[in-house]
Amino acid sequence: LLMRTLLACCISYFLLTSTSAQSYKDTVFTNYFKRDAPGWVASDGSLSIPLPDGRTMWLMGDSHVDQALDDNGEIPCLFNTRNCVLVQDAEDRSKITTFYDETGGDGYEKQFVKMPGDDRATYWPASGTVIGDTAYTFWTRYAFDPDEVWNLRLTGTVIAKIKLPKIELVDVSPIQYPEVEYGQSVVWDEEDQYYYIYGKHLDWIVFKPILARCRMDELLGDWEFYLGNNQWGSEPSNFAVAPEVTAEYSVFRLNGRYHMFYQQNGYLQCGEGRDMYIYSAEEPWGPFSDSVKVYTMNDQFDGAYPKTYNAQAHPQFIENDELLIGYNLNNLCPSVCENDPFGDRYNPDLYRPQFARVPLSLFLTTDNSELSEMSLRVAPNPSRGVFKLKGADQLRYQVWNSTGSLVHSGYGAEIDLSNQSNGFYMARVLGSSGQTALFRLVKY
């Protein structure tokens, strides 16, 4: 009897653990970024902004552009432009267009985002948002300084306006708060009509997330800064809304809550910083606490873990109740380029973004039992605007767009998005007892 009991317990444990949701490497999405010249070949950065027409704009950092793979599939160790912008097609995700200054003579001049006459400054991407026909993108500016690490001295944050749909740079202006890095993530709250702008503060060796906010027309104007205890002030504040983050992190709104995705500190050391986490909170100012580990980077080359950094969430690509996350790699440990960076070559996969899928159930608290029993489904999906909720009557629903803004809510068996732009939406359907189900809607 004891043996049968133990065996039954072991079988039950195996069934529970083997059927639980797990994160996994998304090789299909990763392969979209395995490319050859002409155009973008490899880089870090990889910050995404969903565009109103369904395309996605990717903000890239130090990049290899127009550097063709040789017969061994390798590229020069040195990148040749300090930033560029990619645009990924809505229908064919393997179709990616590169935007940079083709007239530039060196890596600084080739940057797509730069201020006129700024010969030796580097602009690295942070995040962005779209207002009307313009993408407002945040970039950190570094002046060339031979006395600083990597010859870079932080001088503040700029906002680059990029006209849509042509992807035309029309203006680059500094924000008026140069002493703090802001723009790691930007979230629009439809309910209170504020942009929440997340920044970072270095507390000894740990980055802590800080928060500002402004009205839609004040991204380059006056902001308010979170002081804690639901108080806001007119001067920058180092009040942390979460215990810690890394240098790059992202915040998105989903299922009525705010979620902060980041990775373990130590991310620039070989084999360190491989774990990635999500905090969740009811309000944009948190408190964000009790983080959940959602993924561990296990990429290896020649038996070694490369450096990993720039972990970001990309909620516009939620599919099958799974969140797309991305992160960057950077060379082997030790580097294959450390002996002769000007002459050596290396595998570009060591400097291309990697992607993984995280089941929403790992960090969203939902109970779909009631709705599952009713076999609730949405059809047609994709749709030109009207989605029927089949399998149940008179349900309450909420719909968020790809930037996390609540755009529609109601009560009934039909969701009408006819007056919304084409693109991806996330719908939460609530049962009579408070249970919820999530659906990804596509309007075309």
Side-chain angles (χ1 to χ4, degrees):
L1 178 61
L2 177 61
M3 290 299 295
R4 286 199 300 270
T5 303
L6 289 173
L7 180 60
C9 290
C10 290
I11 292 173
S12 298
Y13 177 78
F14 174 77
L15 290 174
L16 286 171
T17 55
S18 63
T19 57
S20 61
Q22 294 183 349
S23 301
Y24 61 93
K25 185 74 173 285
D26 189 336
T27 55
V28 173
F29 211 97
T30 297
N31 286 340
Y32 293 147
F33 289 82
K34 291 191 174 184
R35 315 185 67 79
D36 198 356
W40 178 92
V41 178
S43 75
D44 59 10
S46 314
L47 294 304
S48 71
I49 303 173
L51 302 182
D53 57 8
R55 296 180 299 167
T56 293
M57 177 186 293
W58 294 87
L59 312 181
M60 315 304 283
D62 294 331
S63 301
H64 297 265
V65 178
D66 293 338
Q67 293 180 315
L69 306 182
D70 62 19
D71 292 340
N72 296 322
E74 296 182 330
I75 57 175
C77 283
L78 297 182
F79 54 82
N80 63 346
T81 182
R82 306 230 64 159
N83 73 55
C84 69
V85 165
L86 309 180
V87 175
Q88 185 175 29
D89 189 74
E91 302 298 329
D92 182 0
R93 292 178 180 173
S94 66
K95 183 179 178 181
I96 297 177
T97 306
T98 306
F99 295 86
Y100 72 107
D101 189 345
E102 299 181 40
T103 66
D106 62 17
Y108 297 97
E109 295 173 357
K110 290 179 183 291
Q111 294 179 107
F112 182 77
V113 169
K114 59 183 183 294
M115 287 192 288
D118 218 2
D119 295 0
R120 304 290 286 172
T122 295
Y123 295 81
W124 282 341
S127 67
T129 187
V130 175
I131 303 175
D133 63 354
T134 303
Y136 289 74
T137 60
F138 287 72
W139 304 72
T140 49
R141 180 188 181 276
Y142 295 85
F144 178 81
D145 189 337
D147 296 327
E148 296 289 338
V149 178
W150 299 330
N151 297 333
L152 298 171
R153 175 171 50 83
L154 177 67
T155 61
T157 302
V158 302
I159 292 179
K161 297 181 185 178
I162 300 174
K163 204 74 169 177
L164 305 174
K166 293 177 60 176
I167 317 299
E168 176 187 1
L169 182 68
V170 294
D171 180 68
V172 181
S173 301
I175 67 171
Q176 59 175 304
Y177 309 100
E179 64 274 19
V180 184
E181 287 188 70
Y182 280 103
Q184 272 61 48
S185 201
V186 182
V187 180
W188 172 250
D189 191 303
E190 186 73 28
E191 296 169 9
D192 63 14
Q193 296 287 298
Y194 275 110
Y195 269 116
Y196 288 94
I197 306 162
Y198 293 84
K200 63 186 179 185
H201 163 63
L202 184 60
D203 184 2
W204 190 42
I205 60 172
V206 175
F207 283 104
K208 303 225 174 148
I210 56 179
L211 181 61
R213 71 179 184 182
C214 69
R215 297 299 185 183
M216 181 178 287
D217 57 352
E218 288 291 336
L219 283 173
L220 283 165
D222 295 328
W223 296 357
E224 295 179 311
F225 303 88
Y226 191 60
L227 308 176
N229 297 319
N230 295 324
Q231 300 296 312
W232 297 83
S234 60
E235 296 296 328
S237 165
N238 289 334
F239 182 87
V241 297
E244 65 175 283
V245 287
T246 32
E248 292 83 18
Y249 66 98
S250 55
V251 180
F252 60 98
R253 191 177 183 187
L254 182 63
N255 204 25
R257 306 188 77 208
Y258 292 83
H259 307 279
M260 182 180 291
F261 176 65
Y262 71 104
Q263 68 186 103
Q264 177 186 17
N265 270 297
Y267 57 98
L268 284 179
Q269 302 300 314
C270 297
E272 300 294 332
R274 298 189 297 115
D275 291 336
M276 302 176 192
Y277 300 84
I278 290 181
Y279 296 113
S280 296
E282 295 293 336
E283 304 291 349
W285 49 85
F288 292 92
S289 58
D290 300 326
S291 61
V292 177
K293 184 166 74 171
V294 295
Y295 187 70
T296 298
M297 186 280 282
N298 286 314
D299 303 83
Q300 290 190 29
F301 292 83
D302 297 335
Y305 291 116
K307 298 175 182 178
T308 179
Y309 58 113
N310 274 9
Q312 294 286 320
H314 308 286
Q316 71 270 34
F317 293 109
I318 289 175
E319 294 174 350
N320 302 317
D321 289 338
E322 294 173 333
L323 171 70
L324 183 73
I325 62 170
Y327 53 93
N328 293 150
L329 304 178
N330 200 321
N331 229 311
L332 286 173
C333 298
S335 169
V336 297
C337 295
E338 62 182 0
N339 293 325
D340 184 10
F342 293 95
D344 285 341
R345 303 176 73 86
Y346 76 115
N347 181 350
D349 286 343
L350 285 164
Y351 196 49
R352 285 170 170 161
Q354 310 293 308
F355 297 91
R357 289 282 175 181
V358 173
L360 300 182
S361 59
L362 291 184
F363 63 94
L364 289 183
T365 304
T366 59
D367 178 3
N368 298 332
S369 56
E370 175 192 322
L371 299 179
S372 297
E373 290 173 1
M374 295 184 291
S375 300
L376 183 69
R377 62 191 185 279
V378 176
N381 189 20
S383 162
R384 292 194 178 276
V386 178
F387 301 83
K388 301 286 188 179
L389 300 174
K390 298 181 178 293
D393 295 321
Q394 297 301 306
L395 294 169
R396 193 174 300 279
Y397 57 83
Q398 296 171 307
V399 182
W400 288 266
N401 64 16
S402 58
T403 66
S405 298
L406 181 69
V407 296
H408 188 46
S409 61
Y411 187 76
E414 179 179 288
I415 300 176
D416 189 349
L417 301 181
S418 300
N419 62 343
Q420 300 294 327
S421 302
N422 292 343
F424 304 108
Y425 296 85
M426 181 60 62
R428 180 176 67 163
V429 182
L430 294 86
S432 58
S433 300
Q435 292 90 344
T436 64
L438 292 174
F439 295 95
R440 184 173 185 267
L441 308 180
V442 180
K443 179 180 181 293
Y444 66 95

